[in-house]
């Protein structure tokens, strides 16, 4: 019954992408397994990242069940959709339930989508990774699939207005080869390897991105180390500590 919800939502999203004239460049979808469980791991720079991460799995005829904060499931519009698509609610005060739910999905052959940074990176650089994705993959006996998105922050991100007009915005997606989550390795070591791979994919997506800021008022979406005016990770931490 869930796919009676998920597939129409996918169709609606694709229609919106066409209406907005988004220029989507996705490479590496063949690295997503056609069957069996896997943990799909992505960077997080936009409220819409899960939509584009899910898009990368469609060529393999897979639907991704994302772990998302519980408040989204309580919203009168998004809640029924999230539940209907079998996404996984995460209550940070009771994380064990979400972890068990994700394990059950993985063991039943689903792909579970995880953002190991937990929250959107306002610097548009990789934050530290939590080890939950690696631990889930180890316990369920499934691979980790690293990926990176770039350009999604220009549509809708924390601290900036939404841009849902016909913007011709490029979106670049890169999916890497599977990483084995061996049970004889420490989850921390696997997490470090995973983060390094996502970083490589993010840099590849940034190099492939076809446009640069138009002028000095358009540099907000570029990280400081690439010449943009997004806050540095240190500036973000200082602001959050106030």
């Amino acid at each position: 019954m869930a796919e009676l919800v998920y597939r129409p939502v996918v169709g609606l999203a694709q229609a919106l992408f066409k209406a907005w004239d988004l220029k989507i460049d996705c490479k590496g979808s063949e690295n997503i397994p056609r069957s069996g469980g896997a943990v799909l791991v992505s960077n997080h720079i936009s409220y819409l990242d899960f939509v584009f991460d899910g898009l990368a799995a469609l060529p393999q005829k897979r639907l991704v069940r994302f772990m998302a904060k519980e408040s989204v499931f309580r919203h009168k519009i998004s809640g029924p959709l999230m539940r209907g698509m079998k996404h996984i609610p995460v209550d940070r005060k009771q994380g064990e339930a979400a972890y068990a739910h994700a394990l059950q999905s993985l063991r039943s052959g689903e792909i579970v989508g995880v953002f190991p940074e937990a929250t959107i990176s306002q610097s548009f650089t990789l934050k530290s990774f939590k080890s939950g994705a690696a631990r889930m993959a180890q316990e369920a006996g499934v691979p980790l699939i690293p990926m990176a998105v770039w350009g999604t922050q220009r549509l809708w991100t924390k601290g900036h207005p939404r841009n849902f007009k016909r913007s011709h915005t490029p979106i670049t997606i890169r999916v890497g080869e599977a990483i084995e989550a061996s049970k004889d390795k420490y989850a921390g070591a696997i997490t470090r390897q995973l983060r390094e791979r996502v970083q490589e994919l993010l840099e590849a997506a940034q190099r492939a991105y076809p446009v640069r800021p138009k002028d000095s008022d358009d540099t907000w979406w570029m990280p400081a180390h690439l010449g943009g005016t997004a806050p540095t990770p240190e500036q973000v931490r200082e602001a959050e500590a106030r």
Side-chain angles (χ1 to χ4, degrees):
M1 293 297 292
E3 311 326 334
L4 296 179
V5 177
Y6 208 137
R7 294 194 185 282
V9 169
V10 168
L12 175 61
Q14 291 175 318
L16 288 173
F17 297 161
K18 186 174 182 180
W20 295 339
D21 195 30
L22 301 184
K23 308 300 183 183
I24 300 173
D25 170 21
C26 180
K27 289 184 171 61
S29 289
E30 67 277 5
N31 291 314
I32 296 173
R34 282 191 172 271
S35 62
V39 181
L40 190 67
V41 178
S42 174
N43 65 318
H44 199 12
I45 54 175
S46 163
Y47 292 114
L48 300 177
D49 289 335
F50 75 97
V51 179
F52 293 97
D53 289 348
L55 185 70
L58 293 182
Q60 297 295 85
K61 302 187 186 305
R62 301 303 303 272
L63 299 175
V64 183
R65 318 301 178 178
F66 286 94
M67 301 185 75
K69 60 184 180 180
E70 191 267 343
S71 60
V72 178
F73 291 77
R74 287 188 273 108
H75 190 275
K76 63 181 180 180
I77 296 175
S78 64
L81 293 175
M82 295 294 282
R83 289 189 294 273
M85 291 185 284
K86 289 187 181 178
H87 294 313
I88 301 168
V90 179
D91 183 343
R92 291 178 184 172
K93 295 180 181 178
Q94 297 179 327
E96 301 85 0
Y99 186 87
H101 187 166
L103 274 180
Q104 182 181 6
S105 295
L106 291 169
R107 287 167 173 160
S108 65
E110 300 278 9
I111 295 179
V112 172
V114 177
F115 297 106
E117 297 168 277
T119 58
I120 288 174
S121 171
Q122 293 179 267
S123 67
F124 308 133
T125 61
L126 278 192
K127 299 164 67 176
S128 61
F129 276 22
K130 298 185 181 299
S131 63
R135 289 188 289 109
M136 282 193 302
Q138 284 181 304
E139 196 166 343
V142 301
L144 292 151
I145 311 297
M147 68 177 300
V149 293
W150 189 247
T152 58
Q153 74 273 32
R154 300 178 65 195
L155 298 176
W156 190 16
T157 193
K158 190 173 182 179
H160 294 274
R162 290 172 292 185
N163 177 20
F164 291 168
K165 58 187 178 182
R166 189 174 174 83
S167 60
H168 320 294
T169 302
I171 304 295
T172 304
I173 306 168
R174 293 292 181 265
V175 185
E177 295 181 357
I179 295 174
E180 182 184 358
S182 175
K183 292 183 179 180
D184 61 3
K185 289 185 179 179
Y186 288 112
I190 297 173
T191 300
R192 286 191 293 275
Q193 179 187 5
L194 179 63
R195 188 183 182 282
E196 289 171 2
R197 186 61 183 127
V198 173
Q199 178 66 40
E200 292 171 357
L201 293 166
L202 176 58
E203 291 174 2
Q206 290 168 336
R207 288 193 299 270
Y209 201 67
V211 301
R212 306 291 292 178
K214 297 188 295 291
D215 51 41
S216 59
D217 293 329
D218 190 42
T219 57
W220 65 268
W221 56 271
M222 287 288 283
H225 75 277
L226 292 180
T229 54
T232 65
E234 294 75 21
Q235 289 171 330
V236 173
R237 285 195 292 269
E238 289 174 4
E240 291 174 344
R242 290 176 192 153

